[in-house]
Each structure stands twice: as C-alpha cells, then as structure tokens.
C-alpha cells in the first residue's frame, strides 16, 4: 500500500482527520518563512496527540544542533531535512538527534539525480521534490510539479517518496507513472497556503490508494 504523508499540519482537528482517513505520516513545519510554520510548543502538543496513532515528522531547514536538540525534545518520531544539508550533515543530525531522518532532494533536471544515491546511503527515507526557482526564499517545490520522466534514470530498486505539485487530480497518475513507495502532499490539499481542507485530504488518500501498490519498497 502506498505510504501517504500529509505535510504542514497545524491543528489537532486536521491531525485527527488524517488519522481517521488512514494517512501514515503527518508533517509539522518549523521554518518561519513558511505559511505552515508552527512553534515548538504547538509541535510538542501535536506530536503527543499523534503518538501511537500516526508517525509524526518535524520539517526543518538547515538546522543547527541546538534547534535539532529542541525539536527532538518535542516527541516527534522523525526529522525531515529540507535545506542544503550535505550527506555528511544529514548523518551528523541523525546521530545527534537519535531519530530517523528523511531528506528532501530537489529535482529540476537530470543532473540533480546524482545526489540521490549519496543521500540514500545516509537518510532513512528520501523525498524527491521539485527544485525551487533560484530566486525563491523558501526550499521545496512550492506547489510545483517537476518532470517525473526524469526519474526513469534512477535505479528501479531505489525507494523514494514523491512530492511537488501533487493534488487530488494528478495523484493517481503519479502512482501509476512514477510508482514511488510514498507520497508527500501539502499545498495540494489546501484552499490557501496553510489552510488544510479535510475533504481534499480524504479525496487525495482515496485516489492514491485506488491503484495497485508500488513495486518500490523502503529499505
């Protein structure tokens, strides 16, 4: 069954809805430039609400060790690194936090695939996202879809989660064309930046799960 992560969760009501609808992971963003940013007190409360019900992920951008320690103390189950962290830095953060790590890798052209294997060796999971424009002040795909055919060049055994421009209308195409082991959605289930819509979450999960599961499996 395709793993589904709903990112940018900021309220208990939305987290509860994700649990009821069968999402596997929820993401909490701690990055002040993001419209989905939440403080660590809120993150701690949401992590406690999700405990033993759903996997919880804290999304960080180029964090220093002090922030990593504070976020690890909130009780989240995973860290997601969405900045320019090198493979060595990913390994350092994983060891320092004592938590499994997801690394997001931006894809915009064939040359970007060279980094995927290096990060796969140190991260527990990978998210392949659209590479942001050069002038962007935030990382990530920013709701944009990249050319999925670029991923044909990856080793077929390489497991990854897909992100970037996913929504209720294209998720079935993503599953059938790319066959990732997981999907990561945020803006595609919103009415406005940071405003999750329960009905869109439900529809996204139903459409993603309507097809046969992926042949790629996480290690």
């Amino acid at each position: 069954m395709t793993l589904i992560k709903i990112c940018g969760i900021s309220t208990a009501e939305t987290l509860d809805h994700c649990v009821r609808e069968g999402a596997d992971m929820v993401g909490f963003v701690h990055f002040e430039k993001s419209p989905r940013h939440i403080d660590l007190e809120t993150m701690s409360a949401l992590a406690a609400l999700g405990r033993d019900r759903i996997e919880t992920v804290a999304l960080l951008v180029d964090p220093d060790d002090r922030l990593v320690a504070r976020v690890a103390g909130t009780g989240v189950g995973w860290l997601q690194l969405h900045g320019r962290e090198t493979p060595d830095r990913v390994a350092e953060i994983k060891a320092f936090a004592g938590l499994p790590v997801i690394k997001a890798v931006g894809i915009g052209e064939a040359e970007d695939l060279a980094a995927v294997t290096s990060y796969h060796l140190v991260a527990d999971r990978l998210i392949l996202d659209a590479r942001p424009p050069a002038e962007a002040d935030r990382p990530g795909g920013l709701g944009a879809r990249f050319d999925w055919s670029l991923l044909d060049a990856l080793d077929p055994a390489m497991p990854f989660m897909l992100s970037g421009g996913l929504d209720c209308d294209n998720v079935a195409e993503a599953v059938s064309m790319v066959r990732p082991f997981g999907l990561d959605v945020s803006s595609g289930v919103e009415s406005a930046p940071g405003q999750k819509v329960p009905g869109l979450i439900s529809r996204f999960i139903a459409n993603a799960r309507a097809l046969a599961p992926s042949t790629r499996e996480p290690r």
Side-chain angles (χ1 to χ4, degrees), residues 18-157:
C18 290
V19 172
R20 286 194 300 271
E21 292 301 295
D24 301 284
M25 310 181 89
V26 288
F28 312 131
V29 177
H30 186 73
F31 182 62
E32 291 186 356
K33 292 182 179 180
S34 171
R36 302 167 187 89
H37 169 76
I38 61 173
D39 59 35
L40 297 187
E41 182 178 358
T42 301
M43 184 183 294
S44 182
L46 292 173
L49 180 63
R51 189 169 297 124
D52 298 326
R53 302 169 67 210
I54 195 167
E55 292 190 88
T56 55
V57 185
L59 187 155
L60 305 173
V61 178
D62 297 311
D64 58 21
D65 286 350
R66 180 174 178 272
L67 179 57
V68 169
R70 293 178 64 201
V71 171
T74 65
V76 294
W78 292 74
L79 298 182
Q80 179 175 324
L81 303 176
H82 227 288
R84 297 182 178 181
E85 303 90 358
T86 64
D88 285 346
R89 180 59 179 153
V90 172
E92 288 176 0
I93 290 173
K94 177 179 174 178
F96 180 73
L99 292 173
V101 168
I102 300 169
K103 175 62 181 138
V105 182
I107 305 295
E109 55 190 18
E111 288 73 15
D112 295 326
L113 297 176
V116 174
T117 299
S118 296
Y119 284 112
H120 173 63
L121 294 174
V122 294
D124 297 277
R125 289 179 182 169
L126 296 179
I127 288 177
L128 304 188
D129 197 357
R131 189 180 67 193
E135 69 276 9
D137 64 351
R138 291 185 284 133
L142 307 180
R145 169 178 166 174
F146 66 94
D147 180 0
W148 294 338
S149 68
L150 292 172
L151 303 181
D152 292 342
L154 284 178
D155 180 344

